[in-house]
Amino acid sequence: MSLQRMRESRHTLLLVDDEPANLQVLRHTLQNDYRLLFSKDGHRALELIREEKPSLVLLDVMMPGMSGYEVCETLKGDESTAGIPVIFISALNQAADEEKGLNIGAVDYINKPFNPGIVRARVRNHVKLVQAEALRKTRLDLMHRLGMAAEFKDPSTGQHIMRMSYYAQAMALAAGYGEIAAEEIFNAAPLHDVGKIGVPDEILRKPGGLTEDEWVIMRQHPAIGAQIIGEHEDGVLQMAHSIALCHHEKWDGTGYPQGLKGNEIPHAAHVVALADVFDALTSERPYKKAWPLDQAFNYIREQSGRHFSAALIEIFVRARPEIERIYARWTDNPHD
């Protein structure tokens, strides 16, 4: 790789300080490993951040015109730049100063005069976190796109993936899941029907009812989906595997492919199953009209102890305001 290509591939850092001597020291400290941008005031720093989207900002606090705290607050208040990490490097060395910097969104706080080795180590660690987050987002994007690939087999489903994923997340939050766990359900839910990739189009798109032999093939899609996703020890892919395999199981044991009953069904899969059924009921298909929301909610209530647990249905009903908001936002039915 050429020197120019290596420079282009390096992470970009923005160094902000009104003292040229401080910028010079930081330049010598970091120039061998990163592409560097420089600013001597907060307003210009914000311009560079919006133009260049650096991987990391090293920011002085005490600057004329606009303080580093104000720069950071502006940065974090803009959705397009809020995810860019900020490290304060400041002569303000009281605990209250550091606490303020961290509370307004900085990821680290280094006191002046600083040790160059410590600056390099902390910058390196935070850049690794940036890389890890970028990789996580890429993986999640690929998961969503794989889920969409399955939906392309059935083009009538419209915004189904988005709606049912948001429904599942809303139910998870109402059930007491933490935000991270609920987000994992949201990210895993799009893969629930990925196994339909393995179902022949003439069965999947058949306008009428399926024969018993065709149902045998259709009921294989949960196992196919689990096989596509693979087995994982933990994380969102492990949850996606469980959801794909178990989202057609029923509380009374009459579901498929394993005939699981009651609490044998993984809870996340049970949540996604309800979200999936509700969205199917309230969506228009070539073979049916979309049900009104009240009718769909009544049907779900009737499934207590049969398709779904009474506890999960109670959670679903409690989350109804958020469910209706999601439905309105992502509806395929323009007259609703």
Side-chain angles (χ1 to χ4, degrees):
M1 182 182 292
S2 68
L3 179 60
Q4 178 65 24
R5 184 66 60 83
M6 290 176 64
R7 286 173 176 168
E8 291 174 352
S9 67
R10 294 186 302 179
H11 285 271
T12 298
L13 309 184
L14 173 60
L15 314 180
V16 188
D17 200 305
D18 63 313
E19 291 291 338
N22 292 333
L23 291 177
Q24 187 74 351
V25 174
L26 287 172
R27 182 177 71 83
H28 285 298
T29 301
L30 300 167
Q31 65 182 352
N32 290 336
D33 300 309
Y34 307 100
R35 173 177 174 254
L36 302 180
L37 303 172
F38 303 92
S39 175
K40 295 180 182 179
D41 67 83
H43 293 289
R44 177 56 180 157
L46 288 172
E47 291 177 359
L48 285 170
I49 290 167
R50 292 175 181 129
E51 293 169 3
E52 298 282 347
K53 295 295 193 297
S55 299
L56 186 69
V57 178
L58 281 78
L59 183 59
D60 185 25
V61 173
M62 295 185 296
M63 297 185 295
M66 189 178 197
S67 73
Y69 291 144
E70 292 172 316
V71 172
C72 186
E73 288 174 328
T74 303
L75 185 71
K76 297 303 174 182
D78 185 337
E79 185 177 347
S80 68
T81 58
I84 299 173
V86 173
I87 297 177
F88 281 119
I89 299 184
S90 176
L92 298 176
N93 57 11
Q94 298 298 310
D97 300 317
E98 182 174 351
E99 182 179 355
K100 179 177 180 179
L102 297 175
N103 283 338
I104 63 175
V107 297
D108 209 340
Y109 196 104
I110 301 173
N111 292 317
K112 295 177 182 176
F114 57 80
N115 181 303
I118 290 177
V119 170
R120 278 193 294 269
R122 292 193 178 181
V123 167
R124 181 172 62 249
N125 289 341
H126 286 295
V127 167
K128 285 181 179 178
L129 291 175
V130 169
Q131 293 172 319
E133 177 62 14
L135 180 60
R136 185 187 74 88
K137 289 181 177 179
T138 298
R139 286 174 174 170
L140 292 179
D141 185 57
L142 288 173
M143 288 175 61
H144 279 261
R145 291 181 183 278
L146 182 58
M148 290 172 61
E151 294 301 310
F152 273 111
K153 295 268 285 183
D154 184 4
S156 66
T157 54
Q159 297 286 353
H160 169 66
I161 282 287
M162 295 307 301
R163 281 193 305 268
M164 60 87 59
S165 297
Y166 278 117
Y167 292 155
Q169 183 182 38
M171 292 166 59
L173 290 171
Y177 283 64
E179 289 189 5
I180 293 176
E183 185 177 0
E184 285 194 340
I185 287 183
F186 173 82
N187 287 316
L191 293 181
H192 71 291
D193 268 343
V194 69
K196 286 184 177 179
I197 291 174
V199 177
D201 287 352
E202 59 268 23
I203 294 177
L204 196 61
R205 299 189 180 192
K206 186 176 180 180
L210 300 181
T211 67
E212 186 56 38
D213 288 343
E214 289 170 337
W215 266 116
V216 169
I217 295 173
M218 177 65 85
R219 290 191 183 105
Q220 293 174 5
H221 83 266
I224 294 172
Q227 185 177 1
I228 290 172
I229 296 168
E231 296 189 16
H232 306 268
E233 291 185 2
D234 53 28
V236 68
L237 283 173
Q238 187 278 332
M239 182 179 287
H241 177 276
S242 173
I243 289 171
L245 182 61
C246 302
H247 73 284
H248 280 294
E249 303 290 354
K250 295 184 178 181
W251 193 252
D252 62 5
T254 62
Y256 64 90
Q258 300 175 92
L260 301 181
K261 184 176 182 180
N263 289 324
E264 294 174 346
I265 305 170
H267 193 262
H270 202 42
V271 167
V272 170
L274 198 158
D276 191 31
V277 168
F278 178 78
D279 189 69
L281 295 173
T282 55
S283 300
E284 186 170 342
R285 296 289 186 267
Y287 51 86
K288 75 172 194 63
K289 296 292 186 180
W291 287 20
L293 294 183
D294 284 342
Q295 183 181 355
F297 270 92
N298 288 336
Y299 176 84
I300 295 295
R301 289 190 184 95
E302 292 169 2
Q303 296 302 307
S304 178
R306 298 162 62 187
H307 197 151
F308 308 110
S309 71
L312 184 62
I313 291 174
E314 181 181 344
I315 289 165
F316 180 69
V317 171
R318 191 162 68 242
R320 179 166 181 166
E322 180 63 11
I323 297 294
E324 292 187 354
R325 187 193 68 78
I326 294 165
Y327 175 83
R329 168 66 179 83
W330 295 97
T331 184
D332 292 319
N333 306 313
H335 301 298
D336 288 347

